[in-house]
Amino acid sequence: DAKTTQPTSMDCAEGRAANLPCNHSTISGNEYVYWYRQIHSQGPQYIIHGLKNNETNEMASLIITEDRKSSTLILPHATLRDTAVYYCILLSWFGNEKLTFGTGTRLTIIP
Amino acid sequence: EAQVTQNPRYLITVTGKKLTVTCSQNMNHEYMSWYRQDPGLGLRQIYYSMNVEVTDKGDVPEGYKVSRKEKRNFPLILESPSPNQTSLYFCASSSPGQGGGEQYFGPGTRLTVT
């Protein structure tokens, strides 16, 4: 069973905020929420991660609900270069660090 | 510039001809791993290494070998490639001190075995 659930695809207008949801209702206490993206067959790119507090970096913001059962990745001002497949995954701190990507969300930025 | 490099980027070979895909990182990361990515199957881990001379199998190790003699390098060896190893391969590295889940990936190696 998939540990995270994401919409298959989304569109967003260039310059607008892109909000990508992820459900992870069975998350355990020691699991972090990580987001990666992959631009057409390039190497996956780390975006952001968090445990229970909201996080922000130069690329994006991550909002995690209080019960930790869902989260939202926010790209504040989407550009055409943000068109990619976005993956939400759960990882334990200092585990094997193996990344297992599901199908992700294919985000298309519309000019 | 912090990066993970892989070579070659593209390779077409024939069944049974031994090949090596190199991976190198310049970030002094302890952890390195190899993945393959296939349509409909997502990203699957082949082998990983927690540090020099420490390697272990991932989910799909059959037909592959690795070595970690130096911290910066983690080559992937296919002793006798077969067509089912045609895939897109990625090397990745990370440091537990930064949170092991924050991994840096190479640009990928597209391998075709005929």
Side-chain angles (χ1 to χ4, degrees):
Chain A
D1 290 337
K3 297 185 71 175
T4 64
T5 305
Q6 300 176 251
T8 303
S9 64
M10 293 179 62
D11 293 338
C12 178
E14 187 178 17
R16 304 296 295 268
N19 295 277
L20 292 89
C22 180
N23 289 322
H24 31 79
S25 58
T26 59
I27 189 171
S28 58
N30 65 344
E31 288 183 314
Y32 286 69
V33 180
Y34 277 79
W35 283 84
Y36 276 78
R37 72 180 182 184
Q38 189 172 23
I39 299 171
H40 187 58
S41 296
Q42 295 181 19
Q45 180 186 21
Y46 164 82
I47 301 173
I48 198 168
H49 75 278
L51 183 63
K52 56 183 179 180
N53 298 319
N54 298 338
E55 302 288 345
T56 296
N57 63 20
E58 65 277 4
M59 288 183 67
S61 295
L62 174 61
I63 309 297
I64 303 174
T65 58
E66 191 168 345
D67 63 9
R68 303 209 323 124
K69 292 185 177 181
S70 66
S71 60
T72 301
L73 177 74
I74 302 171
L75 307 177
H77 304 287
T79 71
L80 298 179
R81 288 178 295 180
D82 293 321
T83 293
V85 179
Y86 287 76
Y87 298 99
C88 167
I89 60 175
L90 305 181
L91 284 174
S92 300
W93 195 260
F94 295 131
N96 172 17
E97 291 91 14
K98 176 178 64 175
L99 301 182
T100 303
F101 289 175
T103 54
T105 297
R106 183 172 298 278
L107 175 67
T108 302
I109 305 302
I110 310 297
Chain B
E1 177 189 356
Q3 61 182 351
V4 178
T5 57
Q6 294 179 226
N7 282 292
R9 294 289 312 281
Y10 302 90
L11 179 61
I12 300 174
T13 189
V14 296
T15 299
K17 186 176 181 181
K18 181 179 178 180
L19 65 91
T20 299
V21 184
T22 64
C23 172
S24 183
Q25 50 92 6
N26 62 1
M27 295 167 281
N28 201 35
H29 283 167
E30 294 86 355
Y31 180 86
M32 298 186 74
S33 63
W34 276 102
Y35 295 88
R36 61 177 290 175
Q37 188 172 36
D38 303 286
L41 295 177
L43 206 64
R44 293 181 292 170
Q45 191 184 57
I46 303 171
Y47 268 94
Y48 67 96
S49 170
M50 300 298 287
N51 215 321
V52 175
E53 302 291 1
V54 180
T55 64
D56 208 346
K57 297 177 180 178
D59 293 327
V60 288
E62 293 77 22
Y64 305 94
K65 288 175 57 178
V66 293
S67 67
R68 187 89 182 273
K69 294 183 171 57
E70 304 167 284
K71 198 172 187 178
R72 64 182 293 124
N73 296 322
F74 190 45
L76 179 69
I77 303 158
L78 285 72
E79 294 272 4
S80 183
S82 62
N84 65 11
Q85 293 178 298
T86 292
S87 187
L88 179 60
Y89 291 86
F90 292 106
C91 179
S93 73
S94 67
S95 174
Q98 297 172 350
E102 184 178 341
Q103 298 193 19
Y104 293 79
F105 281 79
T109 295
R110 188 169 292 280
L111 172 67
T112 302
V113 183
T114 61

